[in-house]
Amino acid sequence: MHLALALLAAHIFPAGPVSADICVTNADRTRLLFVAETDSGTRVIAWLDPSGRLCAEGAGAGRVSVYEAEDSLEGCTRLVPPDGADVLLRYTAFDRCLWQSHLD
């Protein structure tokens, strides 16, 4: 599904600390578009400035993704375990991003 259409169909929530199961933090130097999604169906989308954090509430595992723009066809996605989180260290297009989970 084209990301721009997905943005229209999804609920957009403000980034910020919330009690949640799937979270992502932007440690890149650039403001980027992030998605946090649980396997139970909760999906949140927000632009994050450097050091920003986004969380999706829900049970089970999920995934986090990052894109340069709303109309980007390619981005980076990581699977996240239940009650998990990941940190984007460096954004590089075509699913070549550097995540903290790569270093753990």
Side-chain angles (χ1 to χ4, degrees), residues 12-79:
I12 299 177
F13 293 58
V18 296
S19 174
D21 289 330
I22 302 299
C23 296
V24 62
T25 301
N26 182 10
D28 192 82
R29 299 176 314 203
T30 308
R31 184 174 188 257
L32 295 162
L33 183 64
F34 285 82
V35 178
E37 186 172 8
T38 66
D39 286 347
S40 61
T42 301
R43 182 178 206 201
V44 292
I45 301 168
W47 283 96
L48 295 183
D49 291 322
S51 301
R53 183 172 172 90
L54 178 69
C55 296
E57 294 185 45
R63 67 208 126 279
V64 295
S65 302
V66 58
Y67 302 90
E68 284 184 288
E70 292 95 346
D71 60 353
S72 295
L73 297 176
E74 295 287 338
C76 298
T77 300
R78 294 293 290 168
L79 297 177

